[in-house]
Amino acid sequence: MSVLSFGKRHIVKGLDAVADAFSGTVYSDVVAMKEYAVARFIVHKGVGVLGTSTLTIEACDNANGDNPVAIPFKYQAYIGADDLPGAVTAATSAGFATTAGSSQLYVLEADSQSLAAKAWIRLKAVEVVNDPVLGGIMIELLGARYATDIPNTVIA
């Protein structure tokens, strides 16, 4: 049995890396959860000094992001020069604010059970301190119900 994860997860570019990634209110792509158990959002903050954002995860009715509802989730922060994460922290539907500074990763996870009757999910970032931050968002869907080497699309 292979330990490779192809077919066991699905990767989506949630937000391409850009110079002022989290200016104003920004949304990741909306992805379908119908074939997966967990959505993991990986937020990368590269170069930035003071810029911060409040991150929340929203369940939606469809690929357009209609009728979004903020949901509780868990997250870990990787802040600093090493690869050691902070504690796993439960966030309410109000989300949490990122830390000012450069070279940070935030890993946010929500399970399909928290979506209620909704089948789509996205990350929302609302700028708190206006200062450009180079960054982007990756989405990893885990726990495929029907694992195949080439999964079905999860975006519309």
Side-chain angles (χ1 to χ4, degrees):
M1 177 178 209
S2 174
V3 295
L4 299 177
S5 66
F6 296 107
K8 299 175 187 170
R9 50 110 178 104
H10 189 104
I11 303 286
V12 177
K13 291 184 297 179
L15 176 70
D16 283 325
V18 66
D20 198 0
F22 306 107
S23 177
T25 299
V26 176
Y27 300 94
S28 74
D29 278 346
V30 182
V31 294
M33 289 289 291
K34 66 182 179 183
E35 294 182 16
Y36 295 91
V38 174
R40 176 183 292 156
F41 296 87
I42 302 169
V43 177
H44 180 209
K45 285 179 58 180
V47 178
V49 179
L50 301 174
T52 63
S53 296
T54 297
L55 303 179
T56 56
I57 295 179
E58 295 180 332
C60 306
D61 286 344
N62 53 40
N64 295 325
D66 292 337
N67 302 311
V69 175
I71 60 172
F73 59 94
K74 293 185 178 181
Y75 72 94
Q76 276 185 305
Y78 293 73
I79 300 173
D82 59 35
D83 64 341
L84 301 175
V88 174
T89 304
T92 66
S93 57
F96 71 95
T98 61
T99 302
S102 297
S103 190
Q104 302 172 8
L105 289 173
Y106 295 90
V107 179
L108 299 76
E109 289 188 359
D111 65 44
S112 59
Q113 301 299 315
S114 63
L115 300 179
K118 299 181 183 288
W120 297 78
I121 195 168
R122 70 181 179 191
L123 184 134
K124 176 181 178 183
V126 178
E127 193 171 40
V128 176
V129 176
N130 183 6
D131 193 42
V133 173
L134 173 65
I137 302 169
M138 295 295 296
I139 305 169
E140 183 177 21
L141 301 176
L142 304 163
R145 293 175 197 203
Y146 309 103
T148 62
D149 286 344
I150 307 297
N152 296 320
T153 185
V154 295
I155 57 176

